[in-house]
Amino acid sequence: MLSVFSDEYFMKEAYKEAIIAFEEGEVPVGAVVVCQNRIIAKAHNQTERLNDSTAHAEMIALTSAFNHLGGKYLPDCSLYVTLEPCVMCAGASFWAQIVKLVYGASDPKRGFDRLSENILHPKTKVIPGIMESECRYLIDDFFRRVREK
Amino acid sequence: MLSVFSDEYFMKEAYKEAIIAFEEGEVPVGAVVVCQNRIIAKAHNQTERLNDSTAHAEMIALTSAFNHLGGKYLPDCSLYVTLEPCVMCAGASFWAQIVKLVYGASDPKRGFDRLSENILHPKTKVIPGIMESECRYLIDDFFRRVREK
């Protein structure tokens, strides 16, 4: 059973968003923003639907969280995302000043960590590898199907 | 006189956007996206107005350009921006696959170049320093006024 308010609990919610993306034919990445143990924003990748290659789950979730809280920073918030953020999304988390970044599968090709850890805000704690195998399988399965088409 | 279709010409248009930001009390950064010598998107920083620290001129201009062209990449487009893009915006330009990035003032504190040139798409040509002194003066003047308040 999942403990309420654990990293696994919130990652499971991000994973549900990734599943929605998968079903919509989008690269299956999902994200949630959590503030004081409450989910204040959920989003999934919408690059195809919006015809916008910057419409990543994290960007949409962060903007939704700003709207929800009415402030331009998210200093008490954590970002959960099923795939290691790219440089753009890690840079967005810097501006948001999030306190914790939790991700599932790593992304050796486009993940922020391949370039520099300094992309993140100094106060952002990083927790990688939560539900890693499920998140990885979903991405791999998506691209396998794309290649078979 | 400005030559039509020169980098200075398009940077002047980005600068006009930065002036609008200045007048609205925003950090004065402006951007335009140019496709085949035509401006298809203009934007200025709106972090205060939208209460969103990711609402940078470049992000808004790129999304506007995607909407205009109806495609999720901008392979024939150039991005003109008055200040060196941050990591987030440089990362966005990677996804957009822009062919040319032209900027005015450098940003030694938050500019993408302080971390890695590899943030940009391999095909993106960079031209820094167009209208550098005007762009720099505008930013410095803005922060001087903020400090004096």
Side-chain angles (χ1 to χ4, degrees), chain A residues 30-124:
Chain A
V32 300
V33 177
V34 175
C35 181
Q36 295 171 332
N37 287 327
R38 204 161 60 87
I39 294 174
I40 61 167
K42 294 182 183 188
H44 55 273
N45 181 35
Q46 294 196 58
T47 53
E48 298 297 328
R49 185 180 188 180
L50 300 179
N51 261 334
D52 181 342
S53 58
T54 70
H56 290 193
E58 303 95 309
M59 300 301 292
I60 301 169
L62 289 172
T63 290
S64 177
F66 292 128
N67 286 339
H68 180 86
L69 293 180
K72 66 174 182 158
Y73 304 112
L74 306 171
D76 299 317
C77 296
S78 300
L79 174 64
Y80 291 78
V81 55
T82 55
L83 182 68
E84 181 188 348
C86 71
V87 163
M88 173 184 71
C89 294
S93 83
F94 170 90
W95 293 115
Q97 300 182 12
I98 59 163
V99 76
K100 189 165 75 167
L101 167 63
V102 185
Y103 64 84
S106 62
D107 184 354
K109 201 168 169 193
R110 300 252 60 89
F112 73 94
D113 207 29
R114 88 199 152 90
L115 286 175
S116 172
E117 279 191 354
N118 295 329
I119 290 172
L120 299 180
H121 196 278
K123 77 164 195 179
T124 303

Side-chain angles (χ1 to χ4, degrees), chain B residues 75-89:
Chain B
D76 299 318
C77 296
S78 301
L79 173 65
Y80 291 78
V81 55
T82 56
L83 183 68
E84 180 188 348
C86 71
V87 163
M88 173 184 71
C89 294

